Amino acid sequence: SGLAAKLLALQSGKCGCCKKDVGAKYHLDHVMPLVRGGAHDDSNVQILCPTCNMSKKAEHPVVFMQRHGYLL
C-alpha cells in the first residue's frame, strides 16, 4: 500500500523496534493499540518485523519498548 511504502522509506526498511531489515516480511502495527484508545490513523502506524509485532500484541508501546531495553 502507499502507507506501507511511505513507512518503509521513513524507517529505512527497518523494524521500528529491533531495527532489523524487514524486507518483504513486515507488519503494519498501531503504535498505540486500538484497544488502548489508539487512533486508526496513519500517524499511529509503524512497520514492525513479524517477531516484534507478535510479541507486542496490544501492549502499551512504552511498556513494550522498556521490556526490550530501549526506554528507561
Side-chain angles (χ1 to χ4, degrees):
S1 75
L3 175 60
K6 179 181 172 183
L7 290 170
L8 283 166
L10 286 170
Q11 294 180 213
S12 302
K14 298 186 183 307
C15 174
C17 177
C18 70
K19 307 301 182 202
K20 292 180 183 172
D21 288 324
V22 294
K25 295 184 179 182
Y26 60 84
H27 289 187
L28 289 173
D29 169 64
H30 288 96
V31 176
M32 180 59 73
L34 299 177
V35 298
R36 293 188 174 273
H40 188 58
D41 184 79
D42 290 0
S43 65
N44 188 41
V45 180
Q46 65 182 339
I47 297 287
L48 292 183
C49 70
T51 301
C52 287
N53 192 42
M54 299 302 282
S55 173
K56 181 179 176 239
K57 300 180 184 173
E59 194 167 18
H60 190 284
V62 172
V63 172
F64 176 74
M65 293 303 281
Q66 285 176 332
R67 188 164 53 87
H68 284 82
Y70 290 102
L71 299 171
L72 299 175

